[in-house]
Amino acid sequence: MDDADPPRDPGARATGDRGPVEPREATADGPADPEATPRTRSPGRGWSGWPAIGLVIALLAAGVALQQRSVADEWRDRALALELQRDEAVGRAEALSSQLDELAELQATTSSELDALTERLAELAGEKAEAEDRALVTETERDAAGRVAQQVASAVRGLDACILALLDLRAATVDAFNRVAAGRSVDVAPLNAQSDAAIALCNEARAAAAAAGSAASSLG
Amino acid sequence: MRVAHPRRRAASPAPIAAVVRVAATVLTIALVGCVPPPPWSDDGRTDLEAIAPLELDAAREAEALRRAREVTVRIRSIGCDRLGVGSGVVLPGGLIVTNRHVVGSPRRLEVTTWDGVGLEVVVDGVALDSDLAVLRSADPGALPAAALRDAPARVGEPVIVVGYPEGGPSTITTGDVVALQDGELFDEPAEVIVIDAEVRPGNSGGPVLDADGLLIGVVFARDPERRLGLAVPVGTLLDRLDAAALAPPDDC
């Protein structure tokens, strides 16, 4: 018999790859060896508190999970609410865009009508001004014609005076010739003066007639 | 004799392994408690790019033309035996600039706006060495005024001409500055602006405006053969205004 391999205790239980475990010498009732010190329990080795700790941890985890689920639910609700708001805003934006298009179209129409009205107003103002021009021209021509008429009348009066003066001069001249023929003396000084006056009147009449003629010509 | 005792539980796992198991358990429970996020949908998103841009250039041009019409007035000069019709441009302070030959020798002046509103005016004076005349409105606050441009006219730049050709309604024509010509040929003290915008009798005294509606000249003549208009530059006008080189018009 080989002493290197001690005989296997039939009570030993093989534990996997660790091989048979040597049975403990100590028992629950006390050490087999009265001189051996009692074994103390090492932590983690056969401690019965782990289930409790596990339970606490599980409860804590469950609580955290419930709290997280609640928070997640809140966030989801908020997101849904925001999405609803966004959809409403999109709808309002589309409605406003549609209204803006309508207003732009209306403005274009109004602007076009305003341009047409402005042009019409300018035309009417122009027609009014042209009518006033024609009226003024008529008035001016009438005034000019009136002045010409006055000038012609003045010239006519001058010519009348000239003719009368010449007739008076002729009568005085004939009288003077008769006196001379009768052998009487004649003072020619008054006759000369009368002649000068008649000439002056006639010259004035000629000038007035010329002016009237010129004015009449300018009326054209 | 050795007594065989019931075998005790094998030695417990290491503390680290136990903590890992506990952590895994807690994590699993926590994950079980999570809920998925609410689903998103892309329906109904507004396309902001679909909003059409504003046509500002066309609006600015329309505004410049509208403004040009508002600052141009119609002038009727009633002389002794003469009726003259021309145009004028309103400047700040109630001043109205036109041509000397439009004012002529007036018995009275009648000025109206583009929409037929009559204005009370008096003659401030006429320039002696340029075909310019200055009137003054009795109510300057009632009139929109043209702004004067500091920079002189440039060949090639677009212009707006407003007036009352042949005594008709307010008319706007456009064209370009084609040249700057020696003013001595036209008895003007400085270079005159030559434009190809349509100018007819009645446009005399009216404004020549740049594309922004700023005054750069006053129409005073036209060249019917070349179909060109001539304008006194605003610099000449400012010199005459500053130096007060104005005289009363001839009597009727």
Side-chain angles (χ1 to χ4, degrees), chain B residues 54-225:
Chain B
L54 296 176
E55 295 182 356
L56 294 178
D57 288 342
R60 284 200 201 96
E61 182 179 350
E63 176 64 16
L65 294 176
R66 184 189 66 81
R67 188 79 174 168
R69 166 175 275 175
E70 289 180 350
V71 301
T72 308
V73 294
R74 188 180 192 274
I75 298 176
R76 181 189 295 132
S77 173
I78 304 164
C80 295
D81 297 314
R82 168 187 171 274
L83 175 66
V85 176
S87 308
V89 57
V90 181
L91 298 184
L95 295 181
I96 300 173
V97 174
T98 183
N99 291 147
R100 184 181 59 210
H101 75 264
V102 170
V103 171
S105 303
R107 278 190 296 132
R108 86 175 173 269
L109 290 174
E110 293 177 353
V111 177
T112 52
T113 59
W114 71 275
D115 52 353
V117 176
L119 304 173
E120 294 277 340
V121 298
V122 295
V123 180
D124 246 16
V126 300
L128 299 175
D129 60 346
S130 177
D131 193 359
L132 292 172
V134 179
L135 314 178
R136 187 176 296 274
S137 170
D139 186 10
L143 301 175
L148 284 71
R149 196 175 85 177
D150 293 331
R154 298 184 301 272
V155 175
E157 70 168 307
V159 294
I160 304 169
V161 174
V162 193
Y164 299 84
E166 298 168 352
S170 169
T171 303
I172 298 175
T173 58
T174 58
D176 298 313
V177 175
V178 297
L180 298 173
Q181 198 163 352
D182 184 6
E184 192 172 354
L185 297 173
F186 310 99
D187 294 328
E188 287 291 327
E191 280 186 330
V192 299
I193 305 169
V194 184
I195 58 177
D196 61 1
E198 184 182 7
V199 169
R200 289 183 283 161
N203 275 112
S204 292
V208 178
L209 307 165
D210 67 6
D212 296 325
L214 301 177
L215 183 70
I216 61 172
V218 177
V219 174
F220 76 99
R222 69 189 190 110
D223 184 345
E225 290 183 359

Side-chain angles (χ1 to χ4, degrees), chain A residues 25-137:
Chain A
E25 296 287 337
T27 63
D29 296 327
D33 185 358
E35 294 182 357
T37 56
R39 286 175 62 94
T40 57
R41 177 173 297 187
S42 59
R45 290 180 175 266
W47 185 50
S48 62
W50 284 113
I53 292 176
L55 180 63
V56 170
I57 292 173
L59 289 174
L60 285 175
V64 168
L66 286 174
Q67 192 267 341
Q68 287 298 312
R69 178 180 282 272
S70 173
V71 169
D73 287 344
E74 287 180 14
W75 277 108
R76 183 177 58 187
D77 293 342
R78 189 181 298 181
L80 289 174
L82 287 174
E83 190 173 349
L84 282 176
Q85 290 179 9
R86 188 203 68 173
D87 291 342
E88 287 178 10
V90 166
R92 284 199 300 272
E94 289 175 349
L96 286 172
S97 176
S98 176
Q99 289 180 2
L100 197 59
D101 290 340
E102 291 178 12
L103 285 173
E105 191 176 337
L106 181 61
Q107 188 207 11
T109 304
T110 305
S111 177
S112 174
E113 292 175 353
L114 183 60
D115 290 343
L117 287 173
T118 301
E119 287 303 315
R120 183 60 185 149
L121 180 58
E123 286 176 7
L124 290 173
E127 290 173 7
K128 173 175 174 282
E130 288 178 285
E132 291 172 350
D133 290 346
R134 286 191 292 271
L136 277 168
V137 166

